[in-house]
Amino acid sequence: MSNKVHLGHTARKRFGQNFLTDSNIINRIVAAISPDNEHVMVEIGPGLAALTEPVAEGIDRLTVIELDRDLVERLKHHPVLKDKLEIHQGDALQFDFNKLLQPGKKLKVFGNLPYNISTPLMFHLFSFAEHIANMHFMLQKEVVLRLSAAPGSKAYGRLTVMAQYYCQVVPVLEVPPQSFTPPPKVDSAVVRLIPYEQKPWQCHDVHLLESITATAFNMRRKTLRNNLKQLFSDEDFATLNIDPGMRPEQISVSQYVALANHLYQKQQ
Ligand code: SAM
């Protein structure tokens, strides 16, 4: 059966459209999201409403952001959902999530994300982290492994450090390709990201953390000394008690924060 006949919509590759069709997986994701009226519930990429319908069922209002105009039209006329949805047609990467804030309410954001934009989208959302209670995302399994990696592992990288700087990261469940129509070429997994109310570290300027991690992980096989020589001397590393002979994946998030704060002090 073609996707079109099966779904009543032809999946668009350029929009990363792989629609969830496995009701067991859908139920488990909705249980993990735990929809409520105490938060502003926000879905990115509702598509054909596989998650939208069961999430909206138990709550008064659900905000959705969808890029595909055809899918937006369908949602606008959806017999059950149309009165509950606040629909924003557009690119979630450009969306100002502050627009959705209501007094005393944080956002709960979720979505089966288009994999081609999932990393920049998470970076975009981290900039609103103080207003977000939690996020649940379906991602490539490999990305979930990177988000939750420990120092010293192969998956540990810039995304790990930035995600764990802002959030507690909890892998929730793995999802095989057959749970989607059309099936993606990769394995998938759902992750819960919980932004810290009180971060275990304080970074004076997060842009410095972003640029240090980008530079440090640019060449993973090289040492910190080599990768960061424009920014830090051996003396700087000694002050922070960090061995400059280590590789970028061998130091912790708090050590990256210490490097960023040290650079901040030097620049004052
Ligand atoms: N939530 C549906 C599901 O689980 O079956 C659809 C998931 S599909 C993987 C990704 C959805 O995100 C599609 O509906 C796609 O049109 C939408 N999308 C793609 N790029 C987007 C963007 N930049 N901003 C908002 N939505 C986007």
Side-chain angles (χ1 to χ4, degrees), residues 212 215-216 223-232 237 259:
I212 290 169
T215 314
T223 61
L224 289 170
R225 178 188 284 117
N226 254 312
N227 280 339
L228 298 177
K229 60 176 175 247
Q230 310 288 349
L231 303 173
F232 301 101
F237 284 115
L259 283 166

Side-chain angles (χ1 to χ4, degrees), residues 31-86:
I33 294 168
S34 181
D36 63 56
N37 288 322
E38 281 71 59
H39 295 87
V40 179
M41 301 295 305
V42 186
E43 180 175 11
I44 297 173
L48 294 164
L51 294 171
T52 322
E53 281 181 36
V55 166
E57 205 167 274
I59 58 173
D60 299 336
R61 198 134 190 88
L62 172 58
T63 300
V64 299
I65 304 161
E66 172 59 62
L67 184 58
D68 186 329
R69 287 175 194 277
D70 290 346
L71 293 177
V72 165
E73 278 313 303
R74 288 172 69 120
L75 290 167
K76 277 186 188 160
H77 299 101
H78 190 290
V80 184
L81 289 172
K82 61 178 193 298
D83 297 329
K84 278 198 178 178
L85 294 187
E86 175 180 321

Side-chain angles (χ1 to χ4, degrees), residues 15-20 43 45-47 66-67 71 90-92 112 114 117:
F15 290 156
Q17 291 178 349
N18 299 96
F19 299 102
L20 262 173
E43 180 175 11
E66 172 59 62
L67 184 58
L71 293 177
D91 183 355
N112 167 15
I117 62 156

Side-chain angles (χ1 to χ4, degrees), residues 9 11 22 24-25 35 42 48-49 61 68 75 79 110 112 118 142 150 158 167 169 172 189 193 197 225 238 252 261:
H9 167 86
D22 179 332
N24 174 42
I25 295 288
V42 186
L48 294 164
R61 198 134 190 88
D68 186 329
L75 290 167
F110 66 96
N112 167 15
S118 63
E142 183 218 308
R158 180 172 185 233
C167 304
V169 180
V172 176
L193 302 170
E197 290 210 9
R225 178 188 284 117
S252 65
N261 286 343

Side-chain angles (χ1 to χ4, degrees), residues 246-262:
M246 290 204 288
R247 300 195 192 282
E249 70 269 21
Q250 289 178 298
I251 68 166
S252 65
V253 178
S254 68
Q255 286 174 309
Y256 275 108
V257 173
L259 283 166
N261 286 343
H262 189 73

Side-chain angles (χ1 to χ4, degrees), residues 100-150:
L100 304 179
L101 289 177
Q102 294 173 19
K105 283 191 175 184
K106 282 193 173 190
L107 313 181
K108 275 189 177 178
V109 185
F110 66 96
N112 167 15
L113 296 187
Y115 294 166
N116 51 340
I117 62 156
S118 63
T119 298
L121 189 54
M122 282 189 283
F123 273 91
H124 181 54
L125 282 158
F126 293 154
S127 66
F128 302 96
E130 64 186 296
H131 302 300
I132 299 176
N134 62 43
M135 301 178 257
H136 289 85
F137 292 134
M138 174 86 75
L139 300 165
Q140 284 185 51
K141 183 176 154 189
E142 183 218 308
V143 176
V144 173
L145 293 177
R146 282 164 55 200
L147 289 167
S148 55

